[in-house]
Amino acid sequence: MKARAFNYVRASTVVEALKAFEEAGDDASYIAGGQSLVPTLALRLQAPQLLIDIAHIPVLRGVDLQGDWLRIGALTRHHEVLTDPLIRQHAPLYSEAAPHVAHPAIRNKGTLGGSISHADPASEFPAMTLALSAELEIAGRDGIRRVPADDFFLDLFQTAIEPGELLVAIHVPVVQPNHRWAFHEFARRRGDFALVGCGILAEFVDDVVKHVRIAFFSVGSTPLRARQAEDSLIGKKLDQAAIAAAQAVVGDDLDPPEDEHTPPAMKRHLARVLLGRLLGEIARQGA
Ligand SMILES: Cc1cc2nc3c(=O)[nH]c(=O)nc-3n(C[C@H](O)[C@H](O)[C@H](O)COP(=O)(O)OP(=O)(O)OC[C@H]3O[C@@H](n4cnc5c(N)ncnc54)[C@H](O)[C@@H]3O)c2cc1C
């Protein structure tokens, strides 16, 4: 199939992009890297009259340390997420996840903001946005607002971004010396969307878990925090008993859809195995 004919405009500022969207009467789509949008156009799952190219808006670019927060511009490409030293140092779960996102050709074009806005529940970056407790800077007609990741992912491919709004940047509280983290996913082949994946960010005081955020992907209609597993770990040393207790409850945190190839019971099993491995890795980081 081929995409329906559309008009194209290249915006050079956020205001220009917002205005173009409004003038199109909402029958428009922003395009960043095009790695998710173009396939949906080709399949006619979307058929907007107007494509607004946001890939040349300078304010959507760049990675900067701002006090205790790292600001990552929405247009930061997947391969930059993999290689940027500031992201590696301050928001390491993104860097750990990046090599698992698609393949080099897609990583050269796809953007972090595009992945988060698209909100595929099987995607790595949206879940890491949850694990890192990032905040999403969104521009709209009424100005700029910041939405915590916990309030951002609403449903399948649905986020707190209203029609016409633009994700400008991702703000991440920088990791601290008493933080430990781990990421992994199970996929049939490297670069495929994961069967189950998870990223964990934990804060320790005297070897005891003070806070922990466990974010799974590919196990529900949105990226999901495993809140019961998190609660079970608070105040505990990360020993075998604590890990087993978290594994015992994690299945209830997840909501995998029916799927003949990876049924819910299989996804829950994989999630338990993955959680055990990641928590074990985090425990060893403290040794
Ligand atoms: C073969 C293949 C394999 C892939 N494998 C994976 C994988 O393993 N894991 C994974 O996570 N992804 C995978 N992807 C998806 C890829 O990572 C996409 O690049 C990413 O999901 C979207 O980023 P983009 O910049 O290309 O967004 P686009 O395709 O340009 O846009 C996607 C959607 O987000 C909107 N959007 C984009 N930027 C903004 C913004 N700043 N503000 C508001 N709305 C915006 C667009 O309007 C559109 O609706 C794969 C893609 C392909 C083609």
Side-chain angles (χ1 to χ4, degrees), residues 30 32-37 78 102 106 110-111 114-115 117 123-124 167 191 193:
Y30 296 125
Q35 299 304 296
S36 293
L37 184 68
H78 300 347
I106 290 151
T111 66
S115 176
S117 307
S123 276
E124 289 83 356
L167 179 62
F193 279 101

Side-chain angles (χ1 to χ4, degrees), residues 120-138:
D120 186 326
S123 276
E124 289 83 356
F125 292 141
M128 295 314 101
T129 303
L130 265 188
L132 288 162
S133 36
E135 293 186 4
L136 294 312
E137 180 184 338
I138 299 169

Side-chain angles (χ1 to χ4, degrees), residues 183-286:
F183 170 94
H184 195 52
E185 68 179 43
F186 294 133
R188 288 208 165 82
R189 294 170 306 185
R190 181 75 171 227
D192 280 7
F193 279 101
L195 301 173
V196 175
C198 181
I200 302 178
L201 181 67
E203 182 184 352
F204 285 80
V205 173
D206 297 332
D207 230 24
V208 165
V209 178
K210 188 176 174 210
H211 293 298
V212 61
R213 292 175 71 95
I214 303 173
F216 276 94
F217 51 101
S218 226
V219 289
S221 55
T222 63
L224 285 177
R225 274 180 69 192
R227 290 182 187 266
Q228 294 186 63
E230 290 175 4
D231 289 347
S232 77
L233 293 167
I234 304 295
K236 304 267 173 58
K237 286 197 179 225
L238 208 49
D239 54 19
Q240 280 305 324
I243 294 174
Q247 285 177 295
V249 294
V250 73
D252 296 336
D253 284 321
L254 313 177
D255 187 20
E258 285 300 333
D259 174 345
E260 61 175 314
H261 300 296
T262 38
M266 179 178 165
K267 289 222 174 192
R268 288 197 166 91
H269 171 74
L270 291 175
R272 271 192 293 276
V273 173
L274 191 52
L275 183 66
R277 286 189 193 173
L278 292 177
L279 289 175
E281 189 181 324
I282 287 178
R284 285 191 295 280
Q285 288 170 12

